[in-house]
């Protein structure tokens, strides 16, 4: 497994924990919670920098990311998606929109591989459909 995959999975687990504990994505809370998370789950030093970049970027742009998801997830409200799927999508959309060093196809493929590992089978096509729509809209 690649280093960036580990970072993405760490970011997914952290964002899921924020959702589960109903914490906000404010910078102060993120920093405090990320420190505790890293201590509790022994996050690797090499995967932390990109994972931190993803988490902080997603929290900074959460409203814009969720707006893109809402616009392209027909008949699904973002808050009604499973927390795992929602956060996989947030990571991928952040990379599509803001991570210039990550090719769109890589961001999308990574999201699908992570969904295969952490979500249910039907979620893979759900995530793929939304990401295809978002990527098409961003490419225009």
């Amino acid at each position: 497994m690649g280093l960036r995959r580990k970072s993405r999975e760490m970011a997914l687990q952290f964002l899921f924990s924020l959702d589960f504990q109903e914490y906000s994505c404010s910078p102060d809370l993120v920093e405090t919670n990320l420190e505790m998370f890293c201590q509790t789950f022994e996050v690797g030093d090499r995967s932390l920098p990109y994972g931190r970049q993803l988490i902080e970027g997603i929290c900074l742009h959460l409203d814009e990311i969720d707006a893109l998801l809402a616009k392209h997830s027909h008949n699904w409200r973002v808050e009604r998606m499973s927390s795992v799927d929602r956060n996989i999508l947030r990571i991928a959309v952040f990379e599509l929109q803001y991570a210039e060093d990550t090719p769109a196809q890589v961001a999308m493929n990574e999201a699908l591989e992570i969904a295969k590992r952490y979500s249910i089978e039907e979620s893979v096509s759900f995530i793929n459909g939304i990401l295809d729509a978002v990527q098409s809209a961003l490419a225009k």
Side-chain angles (χ1 to χ4, degrees):
M1 179 183 320
L3 186 58
R4 286 221 168 168
R5 169 81 56 87
K6 289 180 183 178
S7 298
R8 289 178 183 101
E9 289 184 359
M10 184 272 291
L12 170 63
Q13 292 165 354
F14 178 78
L15 294 167
F16 178 87
S17 74
L18 285 183
D19 277 359
F20 185 75
Q21 297 174 52
E22 297 180 356
Y23 286 139
S24 77
C25 226
S26 72
D28 294 340
L29 281 175
V30 167
E31 188 57 38
T32 301
N33 288 324
L34 187 55
E35 285 178 29
M36 288 189 306
F37 181 87
C38 290
Q39 291 171 0
T40 303
F41 296 104
E42 299 177 12
V43 173
D45 290 340
R46 294 183 57 218
S47 62
L48 183 59
Y50 191 64
R52 179 185 300 274
Q53 180 182 338
L54 290 171
I55 292 163
E56 290 174 352
I58 290 164
C59 288
L60 181 65
H61 299 286
L62 186 62
D63 292 339
E64 296 134 56
I65 292 168
D66 283 356
L68 272 171
L69 290 175
K71 182 176 180 182
H72 298 288
S73 57
H74 306 289
N75 301 320
W76 278 93
R77 292 192 329 256
V78 174
E79 62 273 6
R80 297 283 298 158
M81 294 176 188
S82 81
S83 184
V84 172
D85 294 351
R86 178 175 52 247
N87 286 302
I88 290 171
L89 285 163
R90 285 174 172 163
I91 292 166
V93 170
F94 173 79
E95 288 187 305
L96 289 170
Q97 177 75 11
Y98 301 102
E100 295 176 6
D101 63 333
T102 304
Q105 200 58 46
V106 170
M108 294 171 66
N109 286 340
E110 285 293 301
L112 298 177
E113 290 302 317
I114 292 169
K116 289 175 187 174
R117 181 169 183 189
Y118 289 96
S119 197
I120 61 173
E121 188 176 328
E122 293 81 13
S123 290
V124 176
S125 59
F126 173 73
I127 289 169
N128 188 49
I130 293 172
L131 291 179
D132 277 342
V134 169
Q135 197 271 336
S136 293
L138 293 174
K140 291 181 181 178

